[in-house]
Amino acid sequence: MTTAQAKHESASAMATETLDVLIIGAGFSGLYLLDRLREHGFNVHLVEAGSGVGGIWHWNCYPGARVDTTCNIYQFSRESLWRKWDWNERFPGYAEMRAYFEFVDQQLDLSRDISFDTRVRRTHFDEQARNWIVESDSDTGPSQMRANYLLVCTGFGSVPYTPAFDGLDSFSGPCHHTGLWPQQGLDFSGQRVGVIGTGASGVQVAQEAARAARELTVFQRTPNLCLPMQQQQLDATDNERLRTNYPADFATRSQSFGGTDYLFDPRSALQASPAERTELFEKLWAKGGFWFWLANFQDLLSDAAANRTAYDFWRGKVHERIDEPATAELLAPAVPPHPFGTKRPSLEQWYYDMFNEPHVHLVDIKQTPISQITPAGVVAGGREYPVDVLVLATGFDAVTGGLTEIDIRGSDGSNLAQKWADGVRTYQGLANSGFPNLLVSYGPQAPTAFCNGPTSAEFQGEYIVEMLCYLREHNLSRIEATPQAEQAWREECLELVRPTLFPQADSWYMGANIPGKKREILMYPGGLPMYMEALEKSAAEGYAGFELS
Ligand code: N01
């Protein structure tokens, strides 16, 4: 039988059988759940819109796309995997991440239970049968499936956001969003490249463009408070050394706010002397990565004056690297655009230095907004900036978009996106009242983007696996969050974020990057240990907050 015939047969079989579990999305969360649920004897299948595994690393293949978490914890903690895998870089690029996902796929034989190029469009809960009917667009995979449990693992950044720039369609050259980059790549050599947006994607792609392009114009609305990556190449000896530390690194994740292998410094920035502050700041700066953000004084993200000490240190470091004072002021202004760390900092390598080069230009589109895109370039402040290639690094309908773009209908036929129109409601960031047997991993009101992705995939994933095992063992076939538990969870999220500085930034953490989206914290702000404690308490009480039958 040919592969196409085999796929067709398995698609037909799936149209008639009822799976125990259907998973949407082949990133860290979805793959973890597929593997673990299979190990527990569930009949499980996974559908993925892309043509390969890797989730965000499949789609974000723009030049420079790179992880912002060190490789030791940006991987599964399963020993049979890390024993056999060597990393080439401390912060791996997208190509290395893709190779890692292929390795995991091969080691765990995951693809045999995955339908690729299959995008789920609609799904509804059949109350009588107690299962989900899922419809997708696919030429080769199943177009309709039934499953007792539906696990949505679409990640925080699967729906790119493109602003409605006047004339965008008229642009005559290649124009791509970083989150939908052409799989065959795009060469910047000798081109005049324009990058709109200076989030992590914009910073990364601009750095690469600066090296290849004839001219690079960066359109900045808000400066990114970037941190030094301190990249390192890793050889076999480095990997052996890393492996000896992995068990301790993985163990630390459960104690840290963001599922990392380091913790906040327990001291207050304001109680420390200026010399002590500088000492810690310098130490964390030299380590690179997110240490300056997540291993810094514990009051940095809750006290404005403490935060300002870090901002001023950061600003000084940036100014040292930029020749032109006006450019330095645009990139690192005297008045902070938002408290440091309340928008996710990007990790940069030569981002600031590149603005000293004559072919790299910075345009302040806060002062002079983009009024139009023409066939030949970008118009801002009445001036046309000529561009051959236009890069839209304008972000994502983050955290909720992957769920709300699917027409998900619950037991009374109502739609999840409508339910969330005036504010997200979940219980434990996992479940929804009115939507029985639907569970979400790496979604809203969970640690999600406040947490390292693989850590979240494993911690939340294991909780879901245990929950499904519990239901099976107790001959139960339906689980639904109660409206009261959901309301209390929402209030807890809003309450926990109130004393922090996060609400002060117009960030995607706050849903503030999408016009018309409700402005509210989209993550659970209590940190991973507190989150897992709440989940474990509920489980110990027979899944308090849920109705089981
Ligand atoms: O998106 P963003 P991203 N006119 O939303 C600008 C992860 N990630 O794709 O700040 C003009 O952060 C917008 O301006 P402003 C990481 O978690 C990780 O860069 O709203 N500009 C901003 O500059 C990251 O946080 C890596 O004023 C407009 C930019 O577009 C998350 O993904 C790499 C505009 C969007 O920045 C998202 O990052 C890449 C408009 N109308 C991504 N609308 C790693 O390193 C938006 N902008 C692992």
Side-chain angles (χ1 to χ4, degrees), residues 203 237 496:
V203 166
T237 314
L496 283 169

Side-chain angles (χ1 to χ4, degrees), residues 23-101:
I23 301 167
I24 309 174
F28 274 112
S29 296
L31 296 181
Y32 183 83
L33 283 163
L34 172 60
D35 177 53
R36 294 289 290 137
L37 288 167
R38 268 189 345 196
E39 284 184 340
H40 281 272
F42 287 93
N43 173 18
V44 50
H45 193 77
L46 188 153
V47 285
E48 162 59 48
S51 55
V53 289
I56 203 145
W57 300 107
H58 173 78
W59 297 101
N60 287 261
C61 55
Y62 57 85
R66 188 171 291 288
V67 184
D68 59 12
T69 303
T70 47
C71 60
N72 59 325
I73 52 161
Y74 202 73
Q75 61 179 334
F76 288 121
S77 65
R78 189 176 174 139
E79 184 166 354
S80 64
L81 294 174
W82 57 255
R83 280 266 167 232
K84 292 188 199 147
W85 179 260
D86 271 9
W87 293 104
N88 294 320
E89 291 186 310
R90 185 182 186 218
F91 294 94
Y94 76 89
E96 188 169 10
M97 283 316 302
R98 284 176 164 203
Y100 174 72
F101 274 102

Side-chain angles (χ1 to χ4, degrees), residues 174-434:
C175 172
H176 297 285
H177 192 288
T178 48
L180 286 173
W181 202 254
Q183 292 292 319
Q184 71 278 14
L186 181 64
D187 189 5
F188 291 149
S189 306
Q191 304 284 316
R192 293 172 302 179
V193 177
V195 176
I196 303 178
T198 53
S201 306
V203 166
Q204 290 183 334
V205 77
Q207 285 183 139
E208 299 303 318
R211 293 206 154 167
R214 174 155 58 100
E215 224 166 326
L216 167 66
T217 308
V218 177
F219 297 91
Q220 170 191 287
R221 192 165 68 178
T222 306
N224 193 325
L225 313 188
C226 301
L227 294 174
M229 175 174 274
Q230 314 290 25
Q231 176 68 299
Q232 284 165 21
Q233 306 302 306
L234 303 172
D235 62 17
T237 314
D238 296 321
N239 273 277
E240 275 316 311
R241 181 182 42 79
L242 283 175
R243 266 190 278 273
T244 60
N245 294 332
Y246 283 165
D249 295 346
F250 294 137
T252 307
R253 300 177 310 168
S254 65
Q255 298 154 37
S256 72
F257 178 91
T260 54
D261 57 329
Y262 44 87
L263 311 176
F264 281 111
D265 189 297
R267 292 174 295 165
S268 152
L270 296 179
Q271 280 164 14
S273 69
E276 286 168 337
R277 266 202 307 266
T278 306
E279 188 191 351
L280 182 64
F281 287 166
E282 288 288 1
K283 188 177 112 190
L284 299 175
W285 196 263
K287 282 182 87 73
F290 283 156
W291 268 265
F292 191 81
W293 186 29
L294 299 176
N296 216 320
F297 294 107
Q298 50 77 17
D299 52 353
L300 223 64
L301 297 171
S302 56
D303 185 295
N307 190 283
R308 187 61 193 255
T309 63
Y311 181 84
D312 290 343
F313 177 89
W314 169 85
R315 180 169 179 267
K317 288 283 189 195
V318 172
H319 275 244
E320 278 170 17
R321 287 166 61 187
I322 301 164
D323 299 340
E324 171 62 43
T327 306
E329 196 51 34
L330 258 186
L331 290 164
V335 178
H338 45 262
F340 170 78
T342 53
K343 272 187 162 186
R344 193 177 178 95
S346 177
L347 301 188
E348 59 84 33
Q349 293 171 280
W350 55 91
Y351 182 67
Y352 293 115
D353 316 278
M354 78 185 191
F355 289 104
N356 296 328
E357 297 185 39
H359 71 295
V360 179
H361 318 290
L362 182 64
V363 178
D364 178 3
I365 55 170
K366 184 148 254 162
Q367 282 300 318
T368 57
I370 294 173
S371 56
Q372 203 190 351
I373 310 287
T374 66
V378 176
V379 181
R383 174 174 166 195
E384 184 179 68
Y385 296 87
V387 160
D388 305 315
V389 177
L390 186 57
V391 180
L392 301 170
T394 45
F396 300 89
D397 182 358
V399 190
T400 52
L403 285 136
T404 54
E405 81 158 0
I406 302 173
D407 183 2
I408 300 177
R409 297 198 175 252
S411 45
D412 68 356
S414 58
N415 165 282
L416 187 69
Q418 278 165 7
K419 175 182 167 180
W420 286 356
D422 66 345
V424 174
R425 278 174 178 73
T426 77
Y427 178 46
Q428 300 179 340
L430 287 174
N432 267 272
S433 87

